[in-house]
Amino acid sequence: MSHRPVSWTTIDRAGRDSRPAIPTGLLSAKARIDMTVRTTRRPLFAAGQFDRGAIMSAAASAARAHQERFGCTWGEAMSVCLTAAWRAAKMARHMAAH
């Protein structure tokens, strides 16, 4: 029977590396989207449907600010902000159901 050494550091590091990375500025993008929804009074989820126009509009306005703040490309900014907008819309759907 062969003995195989177990390195708990390697196992822990592998587990940590397998976690998805949180994009830079995701929390600030979510805060900007929440503020946009409040100021424009255009909900992301209403009448049992997602308002894709409101989601895109909120994400685009947040992406402009995100791009200025973090100095990333437009594609990266839109990716982060669309992720935040859809998460906010899904949370609004969840809150409407309960």
Side-chain angles (χ1 to χ4, degrees):
M1 182 171 172
S2 66
H3 291 276
R4 189 180 205 176
V6 175
S7 170
W8 292 108
T9 304
T10 304
I11 292 171
D12 187 44
R13 190 170 294 141
R16 203 173 310 128
D17 292 343
S18 68
R19 291 184 201 139
I22 298 172
T24 304
L26 183 66
L27 292 177
S28 65
K30 185 178 179 324
R32 285 190 187 278
I33 287 175
D34 289 342
M35 182 58 73
T36 302
V37 169
R38 275 191 237 124
T39 57
T40 61
R41 297 178 189 250
R42 191 171 172 195
L44 304 178
F45 180 80
Q49 295 183 32
F50 291 113
D51 185 352
R52 290 190 174 112
I55 292 169
M56 196 64 184
S57 175
S61 66
R64 279 186 224 98
H66 186 274
Q67 192 176 21
E68 287 176 15
R69 183 172 182 192
F70 293 101
C72 59
T73 65
W74 177 251
E76 291 170 345
M78 275 303 286
S79 174
V80 170
C81 293
L82 277 172
T83 299
W86 276 104
R87 284 185 181 183
K90 289 175 183 176
M91 180 59 74
R93 178 182 63 182
H94 175 75
M95 295 305 286
H98 293 10

